[in-house]
Amino acid sequence: MPAAERRERILTVPFVLLMAANGLLRTGTQMLIALIPLYVLDHGASPAVAGLTTTFYMMAAVVLRPLSGGLVDDRGRYAVMVVGSVLYCAASGLYVLALPIWALLAARVAQGAGFSLNGTAVMTLATDLIPERRMSEGIGYLGVEQTVAQLLGPWLALELRGSCGYRWAFAAAFACGLVNVLLRIPLRSAAVGADARRKAVQRGDGRVTPSARPLWTRIVDRDAWRPASVMFLLMFGTAGINTFMAAYALGRGIGDSGLFFVASGLMLAVSRLTAGRLERRWGTVWVLAPGIALLVLGQAGVWWCPNPQVLMLAGAAYGLGMGAAQPTLNSLAVLAAGRERRGRATSTFFMAMDLSQAVGAPALGAVAGAAGTGSVFLVAAALTGTSLAAYLAFRARGRLA
């Protein structure tokens, strides 16, 4: 390993602890996503109520997202991270009890709020720990635990539900949240040090105090919105995959649509582990442009999908593309804002992703109703291609590094 890379290590003790803690939290989250709707249905509630368990969770996370970035920058990474983790863990523990539906929905709101606060603080602290020269690479590493959680969490939840019942399955999810909180404790010194460096920058540059800033700039970072808007277009186009892909594949005579997600998950992990190194060697545009092109190819492959083999190849292309594009755009958003505004930059980027999913699914649903489900993937591919055009336009005008 070159001497420069030894001095700029990503896998330090605090970063590994952060990854482990966040991996446990995301595993618990994926377990609960699988368990809670089934629990509600098995206790006599309607499918509409089961859907509300996800809606309430996501609404709380989305509503709190604009505030979380300012809190992280103004109150400190560690305080917001611990409050979010404890709130999330406490809500997870309530599911072990036999809650009435209204109490379960209230717990979902609390958990969504905790998840939002924790997620913004964790990503911001991660960008403080990652050397700036290797930012995209480090963000890619951090995303691998999310991929593992998506594969492991639902399987573990359903296995425990089948063999031990809901109470033990919920207890396992709570245990993930509890260990996650305990792993945050050793991160205090790293987080406090990051806050001290950020405040020193603010004092040295004579930054405007939070109360004197316009409301809009306290929510959306003035520099991070450009890469965030590219991510909005990219995620808007991909919203149709999770919503309509399984039904469309079934209509094409392909019963096992899970092949797409297995191939996508594996290639997503591979891409996140390698794309950052390629970016450092070849430059951002040579990673981001092929990544977006692979996403377009994957969506077009789903539209065509004459057989399971093509569907699997489409999933592989989709995973490779997302693993290259998302960490790259995230690093652009963070580095554009500078160290003193990384909390707002992170929340701006996450808000773009949240909003694109919230708007994209119903909008593409309207397309499916008007022109058929297959048209969703052609429209999605076109929108994803638009994200590349937006990035190149910003870059040509010198608005993106």
Side-chain angles (χ1 to χ4, degrees):
M1 180 184 291
E5 286 198 19
R6 285 198 298 270
R7 290 193 300 269
E8 296 188 335
R9 289 189 303 127
I10 295 174
L11 298 178
T12 59
V13 172
F15 186 79
V16 172
L17 280 173
L18 197 68
M19 283 186 65
N22 217 44
L24 285 167
L25 184 140
R26 289 188 176 277
T27 299
T29 298
Q30 293 298 321
M31 291 177 69
L32 293 174
I33 287 173
L35 285 171
I36 289 176
L38 290 175
Y39 176 83
V40 170
L41 290 172
D42 286 349
H43 285 74
S46 66
V49 173
L52 286 177
T53 62
T54 299
T55 301
F56 277 40
Y57 177 85
M58 291 304 301
M59 283 179 59
V62 170
V63 167
L64 205 60
R65 187 77 76 186
L67 302 175
S68 62
L71 288 171
V72 168
D73 282 340
D74 300 335
R75 303 298 180 187
R77 278 77 159 135
Y78 188 73
V80 177
M81 180 175 66
V82 169
V83 168
S85 293
V86 170
L87 184 58
Y88 179 94
C89 179
S92 297
L94 293 175
Y95 302 130
V96 179
L97 308 175
L99 294 177
I101 296 299
W102 68 266
L104 187 144
L105 292 175
R108 288 301 273 169
V109 171
Q111 193 169 33
F115 183 83
S116 184
L117 289 171
N118 175 80
T120 303
V122 164
M123 183 55 73
T124 307
L125 179 57
T127 62
D128 292 329
L129 298 174
I130 299 167
E132 290 196 358
R133 199 171 68 92
R134 305 180 70 183
M135 186 63 70
S136 179
E137 188 178 351
I139 291 174
Y141 289 172
L142 192 64
V144 173
E145 42 83 9
Q146 179 179 352
T147 305
V148 173
Q150 287 173 337
L151 295 173
L152 177 64
W155 171 82
L156 179 60
L158 296 176
E159 285 292 315
L160 287 172
R161 169 183 171 266
S163 60
C164 305
Y166 281 110
R167 178 161 294 184
W168 282 102
F170 284 135
F174 170 67
C176 289
L178 182 60
V179 177
N180 152 70
V181 171
L182 296 176
L183 287 176
R184 308 288 183 185
I185 297 173
L187 292 169
R188 185 178 185 278
S189 60
V192 170
D195 286 334
R197 290 189 294 272
R198 173 178 53 82
K199 290 175 182 177
V201 170
Q202 288 177 304
R203 286 194 299 269
D205 292 353
R207 301 288 180 181
V208 179
T209 59
S211 60
R213 287 196 300 263
L215 177 61
W216 179 250
T217 61
R218 282 185 257 166
I219 297 174
V220 175
D221 186 81
R222 64 177 182 266
D223 295 315
W225 73 266
R226 295 182 183 90
S229 65
V230 176
M231 193 66 192
F232 173 85
L233 290 170
L234 191 151
M235 291 299 292
F236 192 102
T238 60
I241 292 291
N242 290 335
T243 308
F244 301 104
M245 199 278 294
Y248 181 68
L250 190 62
R252 300 278 291 183
I254 302 173
D256 190 4
S257 59
L259 293 171
F260 177 94
F261 294 106
V262 170
S264 174
L266 291 174
M267 291 300 102
L268 182 65
V270 169
S271 184
R272 280 175 165 163
L273 288 171
T274 57
R277 288 181 175 273
L278 293 176
E279 185 199 4
R280 284 196 296 122
R281 182 170 183 178
W282 301 105
T284 299
V285 67
W286 295 106
V287 171
L288 187 56
I292 295 177
L294 283 168
L295 284 169
V296 172
L297 183 63
Q299 291 157 344
V302 172
W303 168 75
W304 179 43
C305 73
N307 53 54
Q309 291 77 20
V310 170
L311 189 65
M312 182 177 286
L313 289 173
Y318 180 86
L320 284 171
M322 185 59 72
Q326 189 267 334
T328 303
L329 288 169
N330 197 344
S331 68
L332 285 175
V334 168
L335 295 175
R339 188 180 297 275
E340 72 282 358
R341 303 196 319 273
R342 283 184 178 175
R344 285 176 180 82
T346 299
S347 66
T348 298
F349 189 78
F350 283 173
M351 275 191 288
M353 295 179 67
D354 294 339
L355 186 60
S356 66
Q357 293 294 294
V359 175
L364 291 174
V367 170
T373 306
S375 62
V376 165
F377 303 104
L378 293 179
V379 172
L383 286 169
T384 303
T386 303
S387 71
L388 178 58
Y391 165 73
L392 293 175
F394 283 136
R395 187 173 183 272
R397 296 180 182 181
R399 300 298 179 90
L400 286 176

